[in-house]
Amino acid sequence: MTLPNELIEEILLRLPVKSLLRFKCVSKSWSSLISDPQFAKSHFDAAPTQMLLLQTSVCAINSVIASVDIEAPLNGDDYVKLALKVPFNHKWKTLRLAGSCRGFILLTRTKYIHDQFHYMVFFMIWNPSTGFHKEYEAPFCSEVICGIGYDSSTDDIVVVAISQLESITKFHCLSSRTSSWSCIEVPVGYQFMKYSQQVPTFLNGALHWLVCSIDDRLKIIAFDVTTRKPSEIAVSHELVESQSYFIVYTLWVWKGYLCLWHPGKKPAEAEMWVMKEYKVQESWNKSLIFTNIRPSQPFDPICSTIKGEVFGYDYSHTLSYVKHDLTLVKFNEEGGVLDRQKQNRNWSTYGVLDCCMHTESLLSLPQDS
Amino acid sequence: MVITAKGKEILEIAEEPEYVMLAKVEDLKMDMLRIVEEEEIKKIRLKTSDEATFEVEPSILKEMKRVQSLINTEAIDTSVAIPLPNITSRNLSRIIDFCWEHQYNTENLEEFKGRFLKSLNHQELKELLLAANYLNIKTLFDFLCNSFTDLIQNESPEFIRDFFNILNDTNSVKSMHAPAFQGSIDDD
């Protein structure tokens, strides 16, 4: 008995990328279907499975990005699904994981030009499933804060890079469709919360960064990737009033809402604030107080599972400042610890932790020929 | 539900004179009869390829978008059984089972789905997918597609050809694997 092609296609749309790549050699018609850009789009829309990417190395030698299945129990063996080998030449000294969007990972590297006393910045857009990658040189010379988003109106993958000059903030946008840069500048200076989270959260078509404005107020900057315009989002009054230099705030997305996380007043506590209505200051809601945080190991949330569990990591510093212990932690919705898993891999021992959510896809970069 | 509602009505009118009450009770009887009749009318009979006739409840019928649209367009006479020439009685009874459980068995649905799947071989699974597609039953169709996915996602291309009856028209003998990145980029 043979199933008609439409039904076989319906089944294929629900398969993971890995299986589809393997099934390209089943027949010529399967190969052309799986390679079809329209199929890649439908597949991405039909069955997006998210995974978490972790990268701790700032050194490109043997650079590997680990991918973690956040839905799987942490005490099992299979939560680290695969390691992605970064397509960089080992001569590249510094490397950062700067975000992911529709299956494309954004990697950055900076290179210091000694005789000219400035940095050169390079971006790479890379789809690890298909192997596609393309590199772009930035039109500016400074250390950079950046992210990757999707402009649905023009079907374009956009890299947004922020550079700052005193009280001017410049948003540089790279359209992957046209391979060209554009720039929007605002006469406002911001201090970016570098240590809590580098990778911005992409939600409602905008990239979000947590910042402090000139008057030292905690704010969120939303850069709309479609209109290419920045706007400010206020945090709750209570948070602004209790704001302190000594608190590390983390901005992330919980179940589709913007969410702020910070350690509480007591040593083992943390508070979670959720913005129930996007861009409405009054809708910030203190939704949970976690009481299971290890005092010596600050917890940083990264993402939420389908059920709403909080996934993140403890990042404890031992005496030597280059050696860190990384422990992945999962809290249930009431704030109880579900799983704790200490990482013994070499990717967890040095440097800064970069992490972002990633969805595997067969998509190729939209490009105007 | 109707009866309890009407029963309450009887209690409320107990204060009224006896003849009024009796008249109301008569009305009530008529109401109930009408309701029962309507239910009867809404039940639709379906005739399978092997000439078996099934009487199907409206709530189950609602899931079968194809039958529903046939009834709604009034192009067919609902007093006669609707013929389903592509579906066997065995499959139709499975489908009705699934729709029923999906609607009423909210507690042990996953357990039912597991049992349901176990009772089917590959051939029957394909037949059922065709039937679900023909009748346009979204819940069953999605469930079967996902079951197929679980079944094949870790298999080899050879298994897939066998499974879907596909002729190997490619020249490669060895099976390919996901193209892990192998090149390197020259720098500087």
Side-chain angles (χ1 to χ4, degrees), chain A residues 118-262:
Chain A
H118 68 72
Y119 286 98
M120 275 171 82
V121 185
F122 297 89
F123 296 97
M124 180 181 278
I125 298 177
W126 171 42
N127 183 337
S129 303
T130 61
F132 172 90
H133 55 90
K134 191 173 179 187
E135 202 193 358
Y136 305 87
E137 191 186 328
F140 47 83
C141 310
S142 61
E143 275 193 281
V144 78
I145 294 153
C146 61
I148 185 167
Y150 179 63
D151 174 358
S152 55
S153 70
T154 53
D155 182 34
D156 197 359
I157 298 284
V158 180
V159 174
V160 179
I162 298 172
S163 64
Q164 288 175 293
L165 200 72
E166 286 161 12
S167 62
I168 294 171
T169 306
K170 284 184 175 179
F171 295 86
H172 307 267
C173 300
L174 168 71
S175 153
S176 64
R177 191 171 267 290
T178 61
S179 291
S180 62
W181 288 90
S182 57
C183 179
I184 292 99
E185 55 176 76
V186 287
V188 190
Y190 295 107
Q191 189 197 338
F192 282 76
M193 299 285 175
K194 276 195 174 176
Y195 299 102
S196 59
Q197 205 167 26
Q198 287 262 1
V199 175
T201 46
F202 187 63
L203 181 74
N204 296 338
L207 289 161
H208 299 80
W209 286 271
L210 197 61
V211 295
C212 259
S213 53
I214 293 297
D215 56 353
D216 266 345
R217 295 206 150 216
L218 199 62
K219 271 177 191 163
I220 293 163
I221 293 197
F223 187 83
D224 191 308
V225 172
T226 302
T227 62
R228 312 272 158 98
K229 282 197 178 105
S231 60
E232 290 183 358
I233 299 178
V235 302
S236 81
H237 295 292
E238 201 181 316
L239 262 179
V240 173
E241 277 154 29
S242 64
Q243 187 185 329
S244 154
Y245 273 123
F246 305 105
I247 299 178
V248 178
Y249 299 90
T250 307
L251 180 68
W252 58 301
V253 176
W254 181 78
K255 277 185 154 181
Y257 301 111
L258 271 186
C259 184
L260 260 172
W261 174 282
H262 64 90

Side-chain angles (χ1 to χ4, degrees), chain B residues 15-26:
Chain B
E15 306 292 312
E16 293 179 49
E18 200 174 336
Y19 62 93
V20 179
M21 202 175 94
L22 277 176
K24 289 212 172 175
V25 170
E26 276 309 300

